[in-house]
Amino acid sequence: MRRPALLAATALLAAPLTAAGALAACPSDADVARMAGDILANRPAQGYGPNLSMEDATCAREKLVPILARELGAPVGYKVGLTNAAAQQRFGLPHPIRGTIYQATIRAHGTAASPAEVRHDFGALPNVEADLLVRVRDEGINAAGTDRVEILRHLDQVIPFIEMPDLVFAQGQMTGTNLVAANVGARLGVLGEPIPAVATPDFAARLASMTVILATDQKELSRAPGTALLGHPLDVIPWLVEDLKRDGRRLRAGEIISLGGFSAATPTEAGRTFTVTYQGLVAQPVTVAVRTP
């Protein structure tokens, strides 16, 4: 073998391969545009293969977000996914993952007395999850560390939230890194009445000890303690601060953070009403609700 050919063959053997045998790399602009087109048309999307690296998945996500924002509105904050052990095991990742949420994610408001309405077929694989939002008061949150009361000093609202993600992928395409590349399925959501964030040990303790219940108008689907999210809902925030820091970013005043799913993603059904109730967070249970015609 001539030397140039030998060098080329050696480089090829040393390079990581995708499932199709091509050199692993950030998905191309055209491939990301195709995925965005599928997402916005509510069609199941093809992933980027089982060997997509986290670095390349993150690169794909950063290309995807501005394309989706043209339809879903400007980014308003972040979603942290895989914040419980069962979700991490399902997707084969030992840590949370980050996505961007949009104006459309926080546009709808609904209570038990007056549920929001969102079409049951809003995505390719539309789902609902029991979640919780917080709103950043000021940039001091980036230096708050892991002290939960200190974190609360830099938040101004805790907001009941039904996340309505689109799990996007065609059968057999769902992996942890493909989920990252699809911006963690961030799409829509429904907000309840905001609760003032109180920087006290008692309020922090109630966030951990509360019970979060997801139900339909027919039956209860799940219930979980506040500790289901990384041991404490506020512990999601230091993880996010560090993840953003690696990309040279910071949390900003007014940004919204989706802390993660207390329940497994549940497919929507036509004609159902879904509610999430938080017991023990404040004096009376609070509920957020959505109807899916």
Side-chain angles (χ1 to χ4, degrees):
M1 183 182 290
R2 290 175 295 179
R3 184 171 181 78
L6 177 61
L7 291 174
T10 302
L12 181 63
L13 289 171
L17 299 180
T18 67
L23 293 179
C26 178
S28 70
D29 292 356
D31 285 341
V32 173
R34 278 193 291 273
M35 175 173 282
D38 287 338
I39 291 171
L40 294 174
N42 298 339
R43 293 189 299 262
Q46 296 297 316
Y48 299 114
N51 296 326
L52 182 71
S53 72
M54 184 59 71
E55 180 181 5
D56 292 334
T58 301
C59 177
R61 180 193 66 200
E62 296 307 300
K63 292 182 180 184
L64 179 69
V65 166
I67 299 174
L68 296 185
R70 298 170 197 163
E71 178 76 18
L72 301 177
V76 297
Y78 299 98
K79 167 185 178 175
V80 184
L82 308 192
T83 51
N84 65 69
Q88 291 176 12
Q89 184 175 14
R90 177 186 175 191
F91 290 100
L93 292 176
H95 53 74
I97 56 178
R98 183 183 93 227
T100 293
I101 59 176
Y102 310 91
Q103 289 176 337
T105 314
I106 61 168
R107 187 174 295 148
H109 294 72
T111 64
S114 181
E117 288 200 356
V118 177
R119 286 181 58 92
H120 74 280
D121 55 354
F122 66 85
L125 294 170
N127 281 258
V128 297
E129 288 184 10
D131 203 315
L132 189 68
L133 301 178
V134 293
R135 190 172 73 177
V136 176
R137 181 192 299 274
D138 58 65
E139 292 192 25
I141 198 166
N142 295 287
T146 58
D147 184 292
R148 293 164 186 160
V149 175
E150 184 64 20
I151 290 169
L152 283 167
R153 289 192 179 98
H154 303 288
L155 302 174
D156 62 2
Q157 291 183 355
V158 175
I159 308 169
F161 183 53
I162 296 175
E163 194 198 358
M164 305 189 77
D166 181 1
L167 297 187
V168 172
F169 291 108
Q171 187 172 3
Q173 299 289 312
M174 182 64 82
T175 65
T177 50
N178 274 312
L179 186 60
V180 171
N183 192 40
V184 201
R187 189 77 178 260
L188 304 180
V190 177
L191 282 64
E193 291 296 323
I195 298 164
V198 184
T200 63
D202 177 66
F203 190 76
R206 282 185 274 128
L207 280 166
S209 63
M210 68 180 176
T211 300
V212 182
I213 302 165
L214 172 66
T216 70
D217 45 320
Q218 292 183 319
K219 61 183 179 180
E220 181 178 311
L221 300 177
S222 69
R223 63 173 54 212
T227 52
L229 305 187
L230 294 186
H232 194 290
L234 294 176
D235 291 358
V236 175
I237 294 173
W239 180 89
L240 177 61
V241 167
E242 291 303 311
D243 192 61
L244 290 169
K245 186 184 297 184
R246 283 189 285 272
D247 288 346
R249 301 182 185 181
R250 294 166 56 83
L251 286 170
R252 306 291 185 184
E255 288 186 326
I256 303 293
I257 303 168
S258 166
L259 297 177
F262 292 94
S263 63
T266 299
T268 57
E269 297 178 54
R272 292 272 73 85
T273 297
F274 293 87
T275 62
V276 175
T277 303
Y278 306 78
Q279 295 180 344
L281 178 55
V282 291
Q284 297 297 322
V286 292
T287 299
V288 55
V290 61
R291 185 178 295 115
T292 53

